[in-house]
Amino acid sequence: MVIPANPNIKFRSKHCFALILLLSPICKASAAITITEIQPIKYPSVIKNLTKSSIVNVNWKGALGGATNVTLLDNDYHQGRYLITSDTNSPISINFFQVGNEAKVNLKSLRIRYKNKTYKSFPVTGLDNPGQAGEYFDIGAKVIASKKSTAGEKFPQYTLIVEEQ
């Protein structure tokens, strides 16, 4: 493996949203869930670990997790935060997964904190509806760049889907 002269890696996240509109075939009324991004999850810039996979874990609290094994170049990181609202009282489900858009870079240990409970297996169903006032949820994830990944900025993407059941 050739090690680049500047083995810095920057992890930044991009994301996708799914806004789900449900139509009732009986009454022809519509119900809507709205997802408002407050901030996407952000990882610090790091120096690539040259002997093993580079791991940066930013948890749903916005703190670095213990699995982080790289040298940080900055302290610019935070959890993702979203506001969801609904115009009904139906239970909701939340799904959270990586898109897999970066070669040899993966998101693992995906976590969502919603209504004082942490979820780590997705999709999660039967959750209390956030109502019109809305509820915040926070996300965190571990990003792992294999030792064969190239240096440079990385933009691992994730998808959040919130649906009424």
Side-chain angles (χ1 to χ4, degrees):
M1 176 171 115
V2 176
I3 300 172
N6 182 3
N8 296 339
I9 294 180
K10 289 186 180 182
F11 295 114
R12 299 184 193 259
S13 292
K14 291 196 177 188
H15 47 280
C16 302
F17 291 112
L19 176 61
I20 308 300
L21 296 176
L22 303 175
L23 299 176
S24 169
I26 298 170
C27 63
K28 304 291 184 200
S30 66
I33 293 264
T34 303
I35 303 171
T36 304
E37 178 183 70
I38 307 304
Q39 66 185 21
I41 191 169
K42 184 169 188 315
Y43 296 93
S45 298
V46 302
I47 296 176
K48 182 178 177 182
N49 189 323
L50 299 177
T51 60
K52 53 187 167 183
S53 294
S54 298
I55 301 172
V56 180
N57 188 13
V58 176
N59 65 27
W60 64 265
K61 296 177 187 177
L64 286 179
T68 300
N69 69 354
V70 293
T71 302
L72 303 182
L73 295 175
D74 61 45
N75 288 318
D76 189 15
Y77 57 87
H78 50 74
Q79 80 277 30
R81 175 161 264 207
Y82 298 85
L83 173 67
I84 54 176
T85 60
S86 172
D87 62 0
T88 73
N89 59 3
S90 300
I92 64 167
S93 65
I94 299 176
N95 201 358
F96 177 30
F97 53 91
Q98 78 164 353
V99 173
N101 63 303
E102 289 281 355
K104 298 180 178 43
V105 176
N106 289 296
L107 293 176
K108 300 287 184 182
S109 302
L110 305 171
R111 302 285 188 266
I112 288 181
R113 181 79 172 173
Y114 177 70
K115 289 195 168 196
N116 296 317
K117 188 166 181 190
T118 304
Y119 300 95
K120 58 184 179 179
S121 218
F122 302 97
V124 180
T125 60
L127 298 174
D128 289 342
N129 189 289
Q132 290 182 340
E135 290 282 343
Y136 289 98
F137 68 93
D138 296 316
I139 64 169
K142 181 189 304 182
V143 64
I144 302 172
S146 81
K147 62 183 178 180
K148 292 184 179 183
S149 65
T150 59
E153 285 191 306
K154 306 295 180 194
F155 298 96
Q157 295 179 358
Y158 55 85
T159 299
L160 291 167
I161 299 173
V162 178
E163 298 177 290
E164 289 183 329
Q165 298 176 311

